[in-house]
Structure formats: structure tokens, C-alpha cells
Amino acid sequence: MSRIFSGIQPSGELTIGNYLGAIRNWIALIEKYDSIFCIVDLHALTIQYDPSRMQNRIRAAAAANIAAGLDPEKCVLFVQSHVPEHTELTWYFNTVTPMGDLGRMTQFKEKSRQHRENINVGLFGYPVLQAADILLYKADHVPVGADQVQHIELSREVARKFNSRFGEIFPEPKALLSPSPRIMGLDGKSKMSKSMNNYIGLVEEPESIRKKLATAVTDENRKRRTDPGNPEICNLFTLHKSFSDAAEVETIDGECRSAGIGCVECKRRLADNMLKELDPIRERYHDLEKRPDDIADILRSGARHCSEIAAKTMEEVRDAMGLV
Ligand code: TRP
């Protein structure tokens, strides 16, 4: 069975954008692959954060991902810092990674702009740690969104550089692009994100979701209820395609174009379908939240499993590098 590996930021609350863009695609993958998912707390240290809140963020990320479908019976979920080999391998990889390549990373450039007061070496080396995450487990595929493709390319390059210098140890991992469309925020203008406050939370209360949808921007050319709408340019139609079944999507498409229904009705149906999918996730999430010990157990057993694989890889690596 080939192996997939992906990283999850411990950013606390997840949005339906995170769900549609990542987790929901992974649920199908874990049936077919030996699957490892890692909560990347070490990556999260590269920007300012509150240490007293870190454990909560990790627990919430674990609970949300499990609730959304990362069944611990079918895949491995663990916390990056629980397997110290990630940092050791990062150091070795630092010695084969050209600085010029890291300076060209789009995410580094963006984050340096956003955090001018804290452009640290960890932020610069972030993709090297990511390469170590993936290669430590010799993963074949890395399910990610388009914004991570550049980092996966770098991981391939690190593998090539290491192999050519020290011998064939690492396979070159391939990105597995998620098929979902880019989920825009409720403003319809920028990508859905917590920082833009244009999001719907994955485990948000139903009333709050309905309220947010009611104010969401639709086709702006449709000014009156009797104007025909254009679903192709309506952000909510994208959400319908994600949450409503094919028959409903077709009906909505027709009724929007003919002004058969207005945006209010369209949003009501969207909320109904969305909540049909999100209700059980929210319930599982709140249930897990009440059992922090169970979450800790799942993460501990994940770390145990990963430590075994990591120890083997590191033996090969140290040996190849003349460190034994
Ligand atoms: N950088 C990824 C992101 O921002 C998270 C990540 C860390 C990751 N390590 C990884 C993704 C390894 C895939 C594989 O989303």
C-alpha cells in the first residue's frame, strides 16, 4: 500500500473552507492509502503565538479533524513535536538545502510581509521542516492544496540532493492536489479565512451559520428578487455544489437563472443541506471535547506508531551521513 502524509496547522477553529479543501478529500484517501496526518505544532512556532494556548489549539485541531472524518481506526494522527526525529532530520536537510531556493518560496515572502517584526530563521527554514515531515516516513503522496505545491517541489529537491550526496534513501514525494474548488469567503471577494472574518466555522452553531449565510454576498448584478441571476458568478452556488446533491444543484441553477426563486430561498436550501452534513460533525466534536483523555490517547498511540518508522529512517540517515 503506498503511503500518504499531510500536515495540519493547529489553528484552533476550522472553517468549512478547510473542510472542503482538505479533510473531506482525505476521507476517501484513507480507505486506499497507508495514511499519516500530523498536527504541525513546530511549524506553528514560526509566527508569534501564546504558549498558554498552544495545547488547546492542538487538542481542538485533533478533535475537529477526527470529528470531520479522520477516523483513528483507519489512519494515524499524531503531533509533530511528539516525534523528535522531525527536528533532527531537519538539521541534516538544512545542510543540503540551498538558501536561494528558500528565499524564493511564495509562502515565506508572504509571511515575511505579514510579520515584518519577526522574520526568523524558523520561518525561512519552514519548508525544510516540511520536507523532513514527509521524507521521514518516505511518503509517496502528499495531499495538499495548490498553495503547497511549491513546498512539495522543494521536498522533492531535498530528497534528490540528499540521495545524490549520501545514497538512495528517500523516494521523491508527489503532491496529490485536492479536487475541490477554491472556497471564497462570505464577502465573495477573498479566500475564506478566519483572519478575514469572512468564514463559516466547521462546528459553528446552526443559527449562527444561517445568519452568516443570510448576509453573504451573491451575484451582485441581481438587485431585485425578479432579476434573473447568474449562478456561475455566485459564490453561494459554489457552496451548493459542495453541499447539495446533483438534482438540487440543477434545480437551483435553473430557478436562479429564471428568477424562479430569490437569493433568500436559495440560501435557506443551502443552509439546510450544509447543516445536514455539519450537524453530525459538530455533535462528534462536542462529544470529543468532553473526553480530552481519549484525544490524548489517540495522539499518543499515533506518535508511538510514527516513532517506530522514524527511528528506522534515522538509522539509515545517520549511517549514510557517517554519524554512527
Ligand atoms: N505547510 C503546510 C500548510 O501550511 C502544513 C504542513 C506541514 C504540511 N508539514 C506538512 C503539509 C507536510 C503537507 C506535508 O498547510
Side-chain angles (χ1 to χ4, degrees), residues 5-10 26 36 38-41 43 80 86 107 111 126-127 129-135 139 141-145 147-148 151-152 155:
F5 180 101
S6 197
I8 299 162
Q9 294 280 356
W26 297 346
I36 306 181
C38 177
I39 298 176
V40 292
D41 55 347
H43 278 108
Q80 192 180 31
H86 288 251
Q107 192 167 319
K111 286 200 179 162
Y126 179 113
L129 176 58
Q130 183 162 348
D133 294 342
I134 299 163
L135 297 175
H141 297 282
V142 187
V144 283
D147 66 322
Q148 291 299 313
H151 285 167
I152 309 308
S155 302

Side-chain angles (χ1 to χ4, degrees), residues 21-51:
I23 314 170
R24 192 159 79 168
N25 302 304
W26 297 346
I27 296 170
L29 296 177
I30 62 180
E31 304 289 339
K32 290 191 299 202
Y33 292 92
D34 170 7
S35 310
I36 306 181
F37 298 101
C38 177
I39 298 176
V40 292
D41 55 347
L42 299 174
H43 278 108
L45 310 183
T46 57
I47 54 175
Q48 276 301 339
Y49 73 102
D50 176 354

Side-chain angles (χ1 to χ4, degrees), residues 281-324:
I281 295 178
R282 189 181 55 257
E283 281 157 25
R284 276 198 295 275
Y285 176 80
H286 289 308
D287 179 51
L288 273 164
E289 256 195 329
K290 284 184 221 123
R291 301 184 283 122
D293 292 348
D294 289 353
I295 299 176
D297 279 346
I298 290 166
L299 296 176
R300 202 176 300 123
S301 106
R304 210 177 300 125
H305 176 87
C306 289
S307 291
E308 269 175 42
I309 306 172
K312 280 205 196 96
T313 305
M314 292 315 291
E315 248 178 64
E316 285 179 73
V317 168
R318 291 186 210 107
D319 189 34
M321 295 185 84
L323 292 171
V324 175

Side-chain angles (χ1 to χ4, degrees), residues 85-97 128 132 136 158 162 166 170 313-319 321-324:
E85 282 87 346
H86 288 251
T87 46
E88 184 185 353
L89 188 56
T90 298
W91 180 255
Y92 302 152
F93 283 171
N94 278 338
T95 68
V96 298
T97 308
V128 187
L136 188 53
V158 169
F162 185 97
F166 300 108
F170 297 110
T313 305
M314 292 315 291
E315 248 178 64
E316 285 179 73
V317 168
R318 291 186 210 107
D319 189 34
M321 295 185 84
L323 292 171
V324 175

Side-chain angles (χ1 to χ4, degrees), residues 98-169:
M99 287 186 47
D101 293 359
L102 293 179
R104 275 193 289 281
M105 294 290 123
T106 311
Q107 192 167 319
F108 171 68
K109 289 194 259 183
E110 259 171 34
K111 286 200 179 162
S112 317
R113 257 196 307 275
Q114 285 164 8
H115 307 279
R116 276 180 209 285
E117 72 302 335
N118 182 22
I119 305 177
N120 60 78
V121 175
L123 192 64
F124 188 65
Y126 179 113
V128 187
L129 176 58
Q130 183 162 348
D133 294 342
I134 299 163
L135 297 175
L136 188 53
Y137 305 100
K138 303 188 180 183
D140 307 289
H141 297 282
V142 187
V144 283
D147 66 322
Q148 291 299 313
V149 169
Q150 202 184 24
H151 285 167
I152 309 308
E153 282 304 318
L154 186 96
S155 302
R156 294 165 62 81
E157 197 201 337
V158 169
R160 269 198 302 278
K161 285 242 158 65
F162 185 97
N163 289 348
S164 72
R165 173 105 170 74
F166 300 108
E168 286 296 318
I169 292 187

